[in-house]
Amino acid sequence: DAPCDCEARLVNSVIVRQLLAEIPAKQRTLLVLREVNGMSIDEIAEIVGSSAEAVRKQLWRVRKLFGKRLQQHLTEDEP
């Protein structure tokens, strides 16, 4: 990796962590289990004691929230 490539990854990693920290704990857990740990909807449902359909809906909502916050962050940084 080129030096600037590594720096960009680090900056992006910090931004993602900051945005994740702003999301309520229950929603953050679902997002991390799915997107970081690669768990299935059924596995997550079993872990959190919910139905697969409820997990799907909650994941849809948290992805939308995360995307909105990411977009806000990106537009704040524009010159």
Side-chain angles (χ1 to χ4, degrees), residues 7 12 14 20 26 30 33 40 45-46 48 51 54 62 64 66 69 74:
E7 185 178 328
N12 289 340
V14 169
L20 281 174
K26 286 184 178 183
L30 295 176
L33 290 174
S40 72
E46 187 175 326
V48 299
S51 70
V62 71
K64 186 175 177 180
F66 186 83
R69 291 193 177 174
L74 293 175

Side-chain angles (χ1 to χ4, degrees), residues 30 33-35 37-47 52 55-56 59:
L30 295 176
L33 290 174
R34 181 69 173 164
E35 303 301 337
N37 297 344
M39 298 180 94
S40 72
I41 299 293
D42 291 332
E43 290 171 319
I44 297 169
E46 187 175 326
I47 288 170
V55 169
R56 277 188 199 88
L59 277 170

Side-chain angles (χ1 to χ4, degrees), residues 1-10:
D1 291 333
C4 64
D5 206 25
C6 291
E7 185 178 328
R9 286 184 187 171
L10 179 61

